[in-house]
Amino acid sequence: MDEDLLRALTLTVTGVLVRRGADFAAAEDAVQDALVEAVRVWPRDPPRDPQGWLVTVAWRKFLDAVRADTARRRREERAEADPPPGTGGAVDDTLQLYFLCAHPSLTPASAVALTLRAVGGLSTRQIARAYLVPEATMAQRISRAKRTVSGVRFDQPGDLATVLRVLYLVFNEGYSGDVDLAAEAIRLTRRLRAGTEHEEVAGLLALMLLHHARRPARTRPDGSLVPLAEQDRRRWDALLIAEGVEVLQAALARDRLGEFQAQAAVAALHADARTPEETDWVQIVEWYDELLRLTDSPVARLNRAVAVGEARGPRAGLDALAGLDPGLPRRTAAAAYLHERAGDTGTAARLYADAARLASSLPERDHLTRQAARLHAQLRG
């Protein structure tokens, strides 16, 4: 579509949303989300009325954002009304709902999906992205879970491992910025730890604290992403890091390693490095090896490949990356980074552009687009 026409269409649709009651900033965000959807849908199914299509999709995006924001504010209000950790009882209605939705009649995967949708407030699309499956597949899974428990009495709470998985995925969505759930996930995990001495509960809490400590440095004032190597480490929350390391050390001392403890150990090594150059990548690779012995996660294999590239050189990282599914989210971005490190600027520029088209969020897409543009400029120069 012609750039001037697209700009005019964007302004028109934004104006329609404002007249319907959206504030201008929220309308702009909704229209941008609709345009991203158009890029995905229009090539195979072009609408007869592009403006009408954009208005409909943008308005739906706006309403989704309003609902998510309302739900977030309610959770924050509940969190503020909650007694601080260590005071009062460890009973929490929300945490009880997590256990009840993780019902024994459901498979762990279905229980997690249902809980994220019914209690966590995540959309089907967000849950599908976390599970690396198509949105339609996840919608069917959630529907089946609802049918399974429709006539069941919720007097048999689910298992701890499933609840931990739910809390982990809720935190990840909050940390990504799509839905502000990170603080709520930390609060619930604190509550859970107060009621159990299970080492993986402590491992999950440590992981959350160590990642959350870096959150202030993850974005610039304009909302753009800051890669870990470029973050101002003075902005990291030293108190959260200290607490996370302390919780992790206590868990590791029990000598019953689990996947959340292994992930937290990686996060602790990043937090311990005062500069990117001081990062102990060799030990990080060893922790990823431990993690893969516990769970053969494709995401863990991807992260390990990047760590291998830092510890042993980019060619070794690319070799480790070679066996992974090309459709794995962020694999293309990791390949672009490693090719750039290896000096293959042309391939890296192409892969960054490909990764931008595959990005699941606007900040990530914009970051990858800038990386591609930077390398293209070097090639032209």
Side-chain angles (χ1 to χ4, degrees):
M1 184 180 293
D2 179 80
E3 187 173 337
D4 291 336
L5 177 59
L6 180 60
R7 186 179 297 110
L9 190 57
T10 300
L11 291 173
T12 300
V13 175
T14 302
V16 171
L17 266 62
V18 170
R19 288 193 295 275
R20 288 187 179 184
D23 65 77
F24 188 78
E28 277 192 321
D29 289 343
V31 172
Q32 288 302 315
D33 287 344
L35 289 171
V36 171
E37 187 76 1
V39 169
R40 186 179 68 86
V41 172
W42 286 9
R44 67 173 185 274
D45 186 19
R48 287 191 296 272
D49 178 10
Q51 180 175 313
W53 189 97
L54 282 174
V55 168
T56 299
V57 174
W59 183 246
R60 188 177 71 240
K61 298 284 186 184
F62 168 72
L63 292 178
D64 288 345
V66 169
R67 283 192 289 268
D69 186 60
T70 301
R72 174 188 59 78
R73 281 188 276 106
R74 286 174 179 166
R75 284 189 293 270
E76 289 174 348
E77 289 167 1
R78 287 199 304 269
E80 290 173 0
D82 226 25
T87 65
V91 176
D92 186 284
D93 289 343
T94 306
L95 197 53
Q96 287 178 339
L97 285 173
Y98 274 59
F99 272 98
L100 290 173
C101 283
H103 197 272
S105 63
L106 297 171
T107 64
S110 294
V112 171
L114 178 62
T115 312
L116 290 172
R117 189 74 184 94
V119 186
L122 274 63
S123 69
T124 303
R125 177 182 297 178
Q126 290 167 324
I127 302 169
R129 190 170 68 237
Y131 268 89
L132 310 179
V133 299
E135 185 176 350
T137 301
M138 183 53 65
Q140 291 174 358
R141 185 179 299 176
I142 293 171
S143 295
R144 284 196 300 269
K146 288 178 179 178
R147 288 196 299 271
T148 299
V149 301
S150 60
V152 172
R153 289 184 59 189
F154 281 81
D155 53 1
Q156 301 178 63
D159 70 320
L160 179 63
T162 301
V163 173
L164 290 179
R165 178 64 52 190
V166 174
L167 289 168
Y168 173 67
L169 292 175
V170 169
F171 176 81
N172 281 346
E173 283 299 332
Y175 192 63
S176 75
D178 293 330
V179 181
D180 191 8
L181 293 171
E184 174 71 353
I186 290 173
R187 183 184 73 85
L188 291 173
T189 308
R190 285 189 190 278
R191 284 304 188 93
L192 189 56
R193 183 172 179 250
T196 178
E197 295 185 356
H198 197 288
E199 57 280 352
E200 274 293 80
V201 177
L204 178 59
L205 178 59
L207 176 63
M208 289 178 175
L209 294 172
L210 290 164
H211 277 295
H212 207 57
R214 301 203 301 257
R215 191 171 188 178
R218 288 186 74 241
T219 56
R220 299 181 179 87
D222 63 1
S224 59
L225 293 180
V226 182
L228 177 61
E230 299 175 19
Q231 288 177 15
D232 182 353
R233 300 184 178 215
R234 294 169 299 181
R235 299 185 63 198
W236 291 359
D237 190 321
L239 292 178
L240 282 184
I241 290 174
E243 182 185 0
V245 169
E246 181 181 357
V247 170
L248 174 62
Q249 288 175 338
L252 291 175
R254 298 171 193 164
D255 199 24
R256 291 193 294 270
L257 184 65
E259 62 174 297
F260 293 124
Q261 296 168 74
Q263 289 187 59
V266 171
L269 286 168
H270 283 298
D272 187 54
R274 291 175 297 177
T275 65
E277 293 73 26
E278 294 178 40
T279 304
D280 190 345
W281 287 106
V282 172
Q283 195 172 166
I284 287 175
V285 172
E286 291 173 356
W287 275 112
Y288 275 124
D289 289 338
E290 292 287 347
L291 181 58
L292 288 171
R293 279 191 279 272
L294 294 164
T295 172
D296 191 19
S297 161
V299 175
R301 288 195 175 279
L302 174 64
N303 291 336
R304 180 188 179 278
V306 175
V308 167
E310 299 289 356
R312 304 173 193 166
R315 291 299 174 189
L318 288 167
D319 289 342
L321 201 64
L324 296 180
D325 181 359
L328 182 66
R330 297 191 172 91
R331 182 195 182 282
T332 305
Y337 171 75
L338 291 170
H339 275 287
E340 182 183 0
R341 290 268 331 276
D344 189 352
T345 305
T347 300
R350 175 178 57 79
L351 289 173
Y352 273 129
D354 291 344
R357 286 190 288 271
L358 298 169
S360 58
S361 70
L362 284 173
E364 184 180 0
R365 185 191 67 184
D366 291 344
H367 169 71
L368 294 168
T369 300
R370 283 194 296 273
Q371 296 294 87
R374 174 177 58 82
L375 294 187
H376 280 302
Q378 289 181 16
L379 291 168
R380 289 194 299 271

